[in-house]
Amino acid sequence: MKIISMIPARYSASRFPGKLMQNLAGKSVILRTYEATVATNLFSDVYVVTDSEIIYDEIVNHGGKAIMSLKEHESGSDRIAEAVANVDCDIVVNVQGDEPFTERESLAKVLEVFKDDKAKEIDLASLMVEIKDWEEISNPNAVKVIVDQENFALYFSRSPIPYPRDKEVGARYFKHKGIYAFRKQALLDFTVLPMKFLEASEKIECIRYLEYGKRIKMVETSIEGVEIDTPEDLEKAKRLWK
């Protein structure tokens, strides 16, 4: 299988505008993410896909590969689907631009599910990490996921799921890490599927796949890292980097 990675990158993020160009230990967040993804040595090619000339220049001027989006997109999946349409590959891994602690072990676990999927029952795969702190479980910036007995996703939400009506049953909570591995065709199919009300309500793009019957295999990891969604996250990342 030919496997590539694409990193969708918008300059104007609603919660933290310009976050991808913030300084993280001497380099921008997006450059840190790009270099970390390349350093996994799992991909034939790694590209940043962006609508921003600032981000495009940041990557290219540091010797990286970047693609300018031709039009506006509602989600990162739409953005990379446009870019990947004419690229020869079997699997596309979407690494979020605000994930500077991207590492090989977790990505390799995600890719492994496709090697074992001879019947091609899996449309895409993603990561989840167990969380136990109730403040994080109830934080709407942390997307939670519940799965069936084979670790296929049942639903994603910004609310705590499952709801702890009975706290004695010992429910486990998992946070979705925003790294996806797609079969190329599943990604291309995504762009022609209209957004429905569940995705529109939660603002979680992978819900669209569930609403249209696609199967998402979740892989548990113990490596959490830091997703930079807020200025507080950036300060946490700086401390962790040190």
Side-chain angles (χ1 to χ4, degrees):
M1 294 189 297
K2 184 175 181 182
I3 304 169
I4 67 168
S5 176
M6 291 202 167
I7 306 171
R10 286 192 315 132
Y11 186 81
S12 55
S14 57
R15 289 192 294 269
F16 189 4
K19 67 179 182 179
L20 298 184
M21 290 300 297
Q22 294 293 316
N23 187 304
L24 177 57
K27 295 183 180 180
S28 65
V29 170
I30 186 61
L31 185 59
R32 288 285 185 199
T33 302
Y34 179 84
E35 290 180 344
T37 306
V38 171
T40 66
N41 292 315
L42 291 170
F43 307 108
S44 301
D45 279 307
V46 178
Y47 303 90
V48 169
V49 186
T50 184
D51 57 0
S52 164
E53 290 185 5
I54 295 172
I55 291 175
Y56 178 91
D57 290 343
E58 171 74 356
I59 298 302
V60 171
N61 290 342
H62 286 89
K65 297 181 179 180
I67 299 172
M68 281 291 292
S69 297
L70 299 179
K71 56 184 180 181
E72 290 291 317
H73 294 287
E74 291 182 341
S75 72
S77 292
D78 289 310
R79 190 181 309 283
I80 65 173
E82 176 202 290
V84 82
N86 296 314
V87 175
D88 176 31
C89 64
D90 300 294
I91 303 293
V92 184
V93 177
N94 175 348
V95 174
Q96 301 300 320
D98 59 4
E99 292 261 12
F101 295 95
T102 295
E103 38 71 41
R104 178 185 173 91
E105 181 182 335
S106 298
L107 287 174
K109 283 184 179 180
V110 170
L111 292 172
E112 195 66 32
V113 305
F114 292 102
K115 295 176 184 176
D116 298 333
D117 183 33
K118 305 302 182 186
K120 297 189 175 180
E121 295 177 340
I122 299 169
D123 295 296
L124 60 152
S126 194
L127 288 169
M128 62 182 185
V129 60
E130 185 173 11
I131 51 176
K132 297 182 179 180
D133 178 60
W134 184 251
E135 185 176 342
E136 185 171 23
I137 292 168
S138 57
N139 184 345
N141 289 329
V143 173
K144 276 68 68 176
V145 58
I146 49 175
V147 297
D148 67 12
Q149 62 184 1
E150 296 181 343
N151 276 4
F152 282 100
L154 295 172
Y155 192 62
F156 299 86
S157 182
R158 297 185 182 278
S159 299
I161 50 174
Y163 178 78
R165 182 173 179 179
D166 185 345
K167 293 183 172 62
E168 303 304 315
V169 299
R172 298 175 73 197
Y173 290 87
F174 291 95
K175 181 171 72 172
H176 179 221
K177 285 177 62 68
I179 290 173
Y180 307 90
F182 306 86
R183 293 194 186 280
K184 180 181 177 181
Q185 191 57 52
L187 180 57
L188 296 178
D189 290 346
F190 180 89
T191 62
V192 298
L193 300 174
M195 183 188 296
K196 301 181 82 169
F197 80 93
L198 289 176
E199 179 192 0
S201 175
E202 295 263 17
K203 294 293 185 288
I204 302 171
E205 65 187 71
C206 52
I207 291 177
R208 191 184 312 181
Y209 289 96
L210 297 181
E211 289 188 277
Y212 284 96
K214 302 288 187 182
R215 305 197 77 194
I216 306 176
K217 184 78 166 182
M218 300 302 299
V219 178
E220 185 175 352
T221 179
S222 60
I223 302 171
E224 186 167 0
V226 177
E227 299 171 22
I228 299 175
D229 286 319
T230 65
E232 292 74 23
D233 292 335
L234 179 61
E235 292 308 310
K236 182 179 178 182
K238 288 178 179 178
R239 292 193 297 271
L240 189 58
W241 202 275
K242 288 180 181 178

